[in-house]
Every structure is written in C-alpha cells, then in structure tokens.
Amino acid sequence: MAYKTINPYTNEVEHEYSQATNDEIEKTLAAAHALYLKWRDGSELVERKQVITRLGELLRSKKHEMAEIMTRDMGKLIGESEGEVELCASFCDYYVQRADQFLAPTPIYTASGNAYVLHQATGVLMAVEPWNFPFYQIARVFIPNFLAGNPMILKDASNCPTSAQAFADLVKEAGAPEGSLTNMFIDYDQVGAIIADKRVQGVCLTGSERGGQAVATEAAKNLKKSTMELGGNDAFIVLPDADMDKLAAIIPAARLYNAGQVCTSSKRFIVPDNLYDEFLKRATEIFSNVKMGDPMDPATTLAPMNSEKAKNKLQKQVDLAVENGAKVVYGNQPVDLAGQFFMPTILTDISRDNPIFDQEMFGPVMSVYKYHDVQEAIDLANDSSYGLGNTVFGKNVSEARKVAAQIDTGMSWINSGWASLPELPFGGVKHSGYGRELAEQGFKSFVNDHLVYEPEA
Ligand code: NAP
C-alpha cells in the first residue's frame, strides 16, 4: 500500500514511505501491551499528564512548522492548519486539567452494601484516521486514551503520512514511552490482523461510511468495542426571521472551510421562500469572491482539494446531480490552476429522487432547497441516511432551539456554523456512526467501568 505525500497544490510527490512489516507490528503490539499492563491499575498518571502538558507546549512552539506539514500533505490553508495545531494544544490543557476527575471512582448508592465503579484502562486500541484534519483527528483520540492508560496503534490516511508521523514524533519528543502511540504504514489486511489480536481491546475510526463499515465489521467479528465517526450531509435551516447579514458572515466557514471537506460542513441549505432569492444572491457573491491559489499564502481563501481522486469523485457527483435535474446557479467550471482546485458550486432543484439527494458531497458544493413552512424544513433535514450535525439560524432563539431538538443528529448549532471544542462531545447517529469523541464521553469511550461491590454481611 502506497503512503505518499503528494502536495495537492503542486502535484509533486514530496515523501514516500515503505510499508511496515508484520515483525514490526508484533514488536509494536508487544510494547503497547506491556504499557497497558503497567498502567491498568492507574499507575503513572502523573507522568502521563506531564507528557501531555509537554505535548501542548511543543504544539504551540512548533505551530508553524507543524502547520506547514499538514498543508503540504493535504492542501488546507496555512491559517487553518495553524488553527488546528492550536486546537490540539487546547485538548492537552483540557484533558490534563480533568483526567483526575474523569478517572475518580464513581460511588454507587445501594442499600445492600458498598459499591463503586472504577474507571480503568482496557488495553491497546487500533485507531484508523482520515486526512481532512491530520493532527486534530489523532489528537482527539490519542490524548484522552493515553491519559486513561490505553496505548494506541495508528493507521492514518495513505495521503497524509508525513503529518501522522510528525504527530507521533512530537508525542515521543514530549516524553511518551515507546508503544504509547505508534504510527504504522500498514494495509487494510494488517489493520484487520491487528484488530483480531487478543491484546487489542478497542477500535476507533473516523472516515467514510464505506471505510467505517469495513473496519466496524472487523471489530464486530472479533467482539472488539468500536466507535465510528463517519460522514455527514448536514442541513443548515434558515428560519424565516433570519438576519441575512449575520447569515452571510458565517456561510464561508460553514461551507468552504477546509475546501468544504469537513464532516460537519453545512452541505444542504434549507431556505424559506421569503428569503430564497436573497439567499442565492448572497451565496453567489460569496462563492464568486473566493481567491484560489497557494494554500501557504495567507491571502488565499479557497484551498485545493486534498487529492486528484477526491476532486474527480466530487465532479462525478455534481455531474450525476445535474443529469438528474439539478440546476447549477454558480460554478461547476474548470479552474485554470495546476493544483486540485474545484470551483465552488451552488446547486438547486435537487428532487428527492435525484440520486445525489442522499449522498455526502465532500468539497465546496452547496445544495440549496426551498421550503414554505418550518415543518417542511424539519422533514427535509431528517430525510437523510446521515445524522451528524445541523445548524438552525434565526433571530428567535427559542424557536431555533425547538427546531434543533427535532432534527435527528448527534449535534446541533444555533446561529453558528459547525464548531469543535475539547469540552463538546462530538459524534453522530444513523449512518454518521456511533459513539462520541472529545469531552468526558470521549474520554470514557474505551474506559472499563469496573464495578466493585461489597454486600453487607
Ligand atoms: P475513508 O476512505 O473511509 O478513510 C478513512 C481512513 O480509513 C483512512 O485511514 C483509510 O485508509 C482507512 N480505511 C478505509 N477503508 C479501510 C479498510 N477497509 N480497512 C482499513 N482501513 C480503511 O474516508 P475518507 O473519504 O478519506 O475521509 C472522509 C470521510 O470522513 C468523509 O465521509 C467525512 O465526512 C468523514 N469524516 C467524519 C468525521 C466525524 O467525526 N464524523 C470527521 C472527519 C471526517 P486509506 O487512506 O489507506 O484508504
């Protein structure tokens, strides 16, 4: 399996890595399992907190260097990469401050004696992660699990190997013992073999529905606990009283951040008929004013997509939408630049029988739907195989909250585009996956809630 950095702005191959051998996998499993045995009774938490504190310091002091690695791997704007490094450092602060609290035993009230639940490590984890947030995706599973005492083997996306290795190297530099986080360049069969190994107790994946199904199947076959953070087709419901200036200010981040390649990007804009024409006018202005170019240049506002493969896939999806009746309001033209740029595109008139209606378009494409009454908007938002996030936007916040409560997703944002912070649990329902990352829920995803009960004599 080829692990390569192909810079999507220049199309040049910058790095290539050879595949790990099965002997290397065995050594990694042995080192990781030995750590688990050392940590499972809660030992060395103080030392692990010191490592994570140091990791936060390193992330901050090497912010630009790390950001450049990510931008070269998958093309995101340098400012976005720097923001990602800072966000990872904030995960370090958050979990170091709360690890003792999250790991403290929980007393259980029972009239029959004494009972409490210990929150203990469970063992080695296999993490499979995507390219769209190369550091953030690793950080949000590694940091809490390292503190909880679960060592981790990482298989990252084959198109951002340099970022994955840089993150693992930083963890080592922060003082983590060998086996704490091992980045491995391995193929799908090797991932399956690791999942099947009896020393591995959990599997977490962030990625597509297809990748999630494959890896969740391996986990289920081997009765390993798993969490799945998968795709989304998030609705952005504009309510009839929406302030259009405020709305226009958040559209660029909601749809175009990371070249639209965010699981929680707003992908389907559901707009009332009284604001529909105005919305399309504003969205067209925003999309036509983006500046495509070198992602290292702070003046660039729309990055290339992460790879030629991703760009071709998106083009096929737009073609499919149009063949089945969608109208192109803006975009869908070739871009005269060498990198993997996709012209931001606005589609309307997507009927429910259009095959694109229930597909995630992972790039700078906005679908716009018109509604007459709010129930229609809620029904449209819920008419999706996915259930990751949504936004509800309107002046009357209590009305917006009522609407949000009726959407079948794991997350809702009111009067804001998507957001991710260490204290906010992240995850979805339906085909967007199961389990949560971040916050206390994420910390406890792979913790053994170990009951201890002493009945009265
Ligand atoms: P993907 O193809 O599923 O890849 C994700 C990871 O899974 C990569 O490391 C990939 O390795 C690996 N993988 C895929 N199939 C595998 C298999 N059969 N066995 C073992 N490993 C396998 O996903 P993607 O298309 O690159 O990523 C974008 C998707 O991720 C979007 O759908 C997006 O919405 C979703 N996402 C979800 C969240 C969330 O939190 N819910 C966050 C970010 C992204 P290779 O690279 O080697 O194929």
Side-chain angles (χ1 to χ4, degrees), residues 1 3 128-132 137 140 155-158 188 191 205-208 210-211 214-215 229-232 263 267 360 362 388 426 432:
M1 181 155 211
Y3 280 83
V128 182
E129 299 299 330
W131 46 265
N132 67 337
Q137 296 293 353
R140 76 180 188 174
K155 181 258 178 279
D156 213 288
S158 46
Y188 294 175
V191 171
L205 174 139
T206 294
S208 64
R210 178 193 52 79
V215 172
E229 297 280 352
L230 309 179
C263 51
K267 290 164 190 146
E360 177 186 39
F362 212 53
L388 193 57
F426 197 104
S432 293

Side-chain angles (χ1 to χ4, degrees), residues 109-322:
Y109 172 75
T110 167
S112 64
N114 184 31
Y116 52 95
V117 171
L118 298 171
H119 304 293
Q120 295 177 315
T122 44
V124 181
L125 304 182
M126 177 74 233
V128 182
E129 299 299 330
W131 46 265
N132 67 337
F133 288 93
F135 269 36
Y136 161 90
Q137 296 293 353
I138 307 171
R140 76 180 188 174
V141 289
F142 166 70
I143 295 166
N145 279 297
F146 175 74
L147 289 168
N150 294 322
M152 184 170 277
I153 299 175
L154 170 67
K155 181 258 178 279
D156 213 288
S158 46
N159 65 327
C160 64
T162 313
S163 303
Q165 193 54 48
F167 190 94
D169 291 345
L170 270 194
V171 168
K172 191 171 173 197
E173 192 181 339
E178 193 194 338
S180 302
L181 175 72
T182 312
N183 175 48
M184 304 210 83
F185 300 123
I186 49 181
D187 65 22
Y188 294 175
D189 288 343
Q190 289 172 312
V191 171
I194 293 172
I195 292 171
D197 190 280
K198 66 177 186 210
R199 291 164 287 192
V200 171
Q201 295 304 333
V203 181
C204 53
L205 174 139
T206 294
S208 64
E209 209 179 330
R210 178 193 52 79
Q213 272 171 347
V215 172
T217 301
E218 293 301 316
K221 264 195 323 211
N222 293 287
L223 293 177
K224 303 289 167 77
K225 185 174 183 185
S226 64
T227 58
M228 293 287 141
E229 297 280 352
L230 309 179
N233 203 6
D234 287 14
F236 187 120
I237 299 181
V238 179
L239 292 176
D241 67 348
D243 178 323
M244 293 307 274
D245 289 332
K246 288 189 179 155
L247 176 61
I250 66 169
I251 286 178
R255 189 62 198 102
L256 299 178
Y257 188 91
N258 207 14
Q261 304 164 115
V262 183
C263 51
T264 45
S265 295
S266 302
K267 290 164 190 146
R268 299 179 292 149
F269 287 75
I270 302 179
V271 184
D273 39 20
N274 66 317
L275 298 175
Y276 187 76
D277 292 342
E278 171 73 3
F279 179 88
L280 284 181
K281 189 170 140 264
R282 300 269 192 141
T284 302
E285 269 166 26
I286 291 164
F287 276 36
S288 55
N289 282 328
V290 300
K291 185 173 179 304
M292 291 182 249
D294 185 350
M296 294 290 183
D297 179 351
T300 302
T301 59
L302 186 68
M305 293 187 65
N306 74 93
S307 65
E308 189 179 7
K309 187 174 143 207
K311 180 181 152 178
N312 291 343
K313 180 179 174 193
L314 186 63
Q315 186 62 61
K316 277 196 190 138
Q317 288 180 301
V318 171
D319 293 346
L320 180 72
V322 173

